[in-house]
């Protein structure tokens, strides 16, 4: 086991090299210190402090309510647990859409106040100027195309995007545009696997899929979904690795029983 001084940090260049060598990129969301630390020690390549915190941490129906201050709080907590992996932070809805100056100011706040390594924002041609401005300030930007949850009220549904030719063509154009604007990677969410494969072959930067098939250069999942904390969300693309909801419920019920029956604490568990 390497000591912290010997740890080889994952950088945006590492991800580009992984694409070139064919090694897949693993990415997961985290929103706090303890899980960030576990995931980093487990060997994850990238942690995304996603605006899905709005759903899974705060209980909102969409990602729209979460603020830049909330995202900064979550990112500060995660970063304290990290030795090695790359930490990317979502710019939340309303913090970058108005114009590139506001987008840059939001990105600078995230980088300055959290110590994170990159930001992510959603969209194609409409955010190209913001991407250029943020990248030219030295801040790495991850893009996000396909199902972009901050636009849920425009889409009206969380169904698969870009099934029709026109939308698929626009996604390809957007992918080329954001690559040229300087993005170091792009998340492709809930699009046909064939389209994700085409985009992955077309771009030099890595693609990271969620519901976008096996040909992406990497995969990302929301931690609460893959660990089975959140049991209501069961889309086809999700592989659930644990049933933490069931395990935690069992543990809490056992604890309640032990307290009520006066089994806990016993003689060895007191001073
Ligand atoms: O906020 C998030 O969790 C995300 C992932 C779904 C990619 O953007």
């Amino acid at each position: 086991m390497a000591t912290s001084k010997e740890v080889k940090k994952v950088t945006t260049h590492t991800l580009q090299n992984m694409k070139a060598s064919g090694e897949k990129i693993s990415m997961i969301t985290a929103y706090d210190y303890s899980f960030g630390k576990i995931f980093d020690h487990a060997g994850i390549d990238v942690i995304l402090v996603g605006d899905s915190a709005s759903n899974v941490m705060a209980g909102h129906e969409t990602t729209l309510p979460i603020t830049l201050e909330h995202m900064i709080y979550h990112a500060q907590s995660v970063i304290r647990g990290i030795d090695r992996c790359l930490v990317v932070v979502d710019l939340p809805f309303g913090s970058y859409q108005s114009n590139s100056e506001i987008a840059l100011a939001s990105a600078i706040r995230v980088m300055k106040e959290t110590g994170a390594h990159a930001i992510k924002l959603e969209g194609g041609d409409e955010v190209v100027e913001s991407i250029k401005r943020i990248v030219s300030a030295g801040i790495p930007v991850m893009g996000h195309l396909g199902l972009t949850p901050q636009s849920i009220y425009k889409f009206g549904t969380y169904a698969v995007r870009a099934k029709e030719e026109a939308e698929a063509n626009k996604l390809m154009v957007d992918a080329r545009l954001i690559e040229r604007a300087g993005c170091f990677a792009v998340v492709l969410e809930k699009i046909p696997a064939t389209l994700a494969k085409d985009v992955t072959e077309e771009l030099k930067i890595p693609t990271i899929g969620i519901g976008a098939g096996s040909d992406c250069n990497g995969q990302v999942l929301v931690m609460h979904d893959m660990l089975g904390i959140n049991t209501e969300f069961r889309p086809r693309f999700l592989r659930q690795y644990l049933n933490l909801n069931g395990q935690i419920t069992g543990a809490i019920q056992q604890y309640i029983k032990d307290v009520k029956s006066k089994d806990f604490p016993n003689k060895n568990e007191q001073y």
Side-chain angles (χ1 to χ4, degrees), residues 29 48 50-52 90 120 144 187 189 210 220 222:
T29 67
L48 171 65
D51 61 353
S52 49
D90 263 334
K120 175 165 87 56
H144 186 154
V187 168
E189 181 164 353
I210 174 163
V220 55
V222 170

Side-chain angles (χ1 to χ4, degrees), residues 21-269:
S21 71
E23 181 183 346
K24 297 279 188 181
I25 298 162
S26 59
M27 173 160 134
I28 189 165
T29 67
Y31 316 97
D32 69 5
Y33 165 79
S34 300
F35 278 108
K37 188 168 174 162
I38 293 171
F39 300 160
D40 186 49
H41 285 192
I44 201 82
D45 296 312
V46 186
I47 285 181
L48 171 65
V49 184
D51 61 353
S52 49
S54 180
N55 310 103
V56 296
M57 299 302 288
H60 293 295
E61 210 170 297
T62 72
T63 58
L64 275 64
I66 201 160
T67 65
L68 190 57
E69 280 68 31
H70 294 144
M71 291 303 300
I72 287 171
Y73 167 78
H74 286 296
Q76 286 170 334
S77 307
V78 168
I79 214 82
R80 288 185 205 113
I82 305 305
D83 283 333
R84 186 195 46 79
C85 72
L86 186 81
V87 178
V88 182
V89 181
D90 263 334
L91 288 190
F93 178 68
S95 73
Y96 63 94
Q97 286 89 348
S98 317
N99 60 54
S100 63
E101 201 176 323
I102 289 176
L104 176 60
S106 300
I108 287 175
R109 276 201 67 191
V110 168
M111 300 300 284
K112 244 188 186 336
E113 295 178 37
T114 73
H117 312 122
I119 62 96
K120 175 165 87 56
L121 49 75
E122 299 181 2
D125 62 344
E126 65 281 8
V127 290
V128 159
E129 285 316 309
S130 297
I131 293 170
K132 284 186 189 160
R133 200 157 179 172
I134 296 170
V135 171
S136 63
I139 301 171
V141 177
M142 180 179 275
H144 186 154
L145 297 172
L147 176 63
T148 45
Q150 292 177 14
S151 303
I152 189 57
Y153 290 119
K154 183 174 87 181
F155 298 146
T157 141
Y158 285 99
V160 178
R161 303 303 314 173
K163 279 167 56 174
E164 308 302 330
E165 201 181 329
E167 194 179 336
N169 289 342
K170 171 159 180 1
L171 190 143
M172 182 62 93
V173 170
D174 280 342
R176 289 193 199 106
L177 278 175
I178 66 170
E179 173 174 73
R180 229 174 295 142
C183 279
F184 70 90
V186 58
V187 168
L188 299 176
E189 181 164 353
K190 230 172 167 189
I191 61 170
T194 48
L195 175 60
K197 180 174 192 282
D198 290 346
V199 174
T200 301
E201 284 170 3
E202 174 72 15
L203 299 188
K204 289 186 192 69
I205 59 172
T207 59
I208 303 187
I210 174 163
S214 60
D215 288 305
C216 294
N217 302 118
Q219 298 293 326
V220 55
L221 286 174
V222 170
M223 59 161 281
H224 288 66
D225 302 336
M226 67 91 76
L227 295 176
I229 298 172
N230 172 13
T231 51
E232 289 113 57
F233 184 65
R234 297 299 294 269
R236 171 155 140 196
F237 69 77
L238 175 64
R239 186 175 293 180
Q240 197 182 302
Y241 287 83
L242 274 180
N243 173 17
L244 269 191
N245 187 303
Q247 287 177 269
I248 292 171
T249 303
I252 297 298
Q253 286 172 340
Q254 185 61 50
Y255 169 64
I256 295 167
K257 216 169 121 206
D258 291 352
V259 170
K260 304 265 180 210
S261 69
K262 302 179 187 152
D263 177 79
F264 175 78
N266 65 26
K267 284 211 165 53
N268 296 326
E269 292 164 331

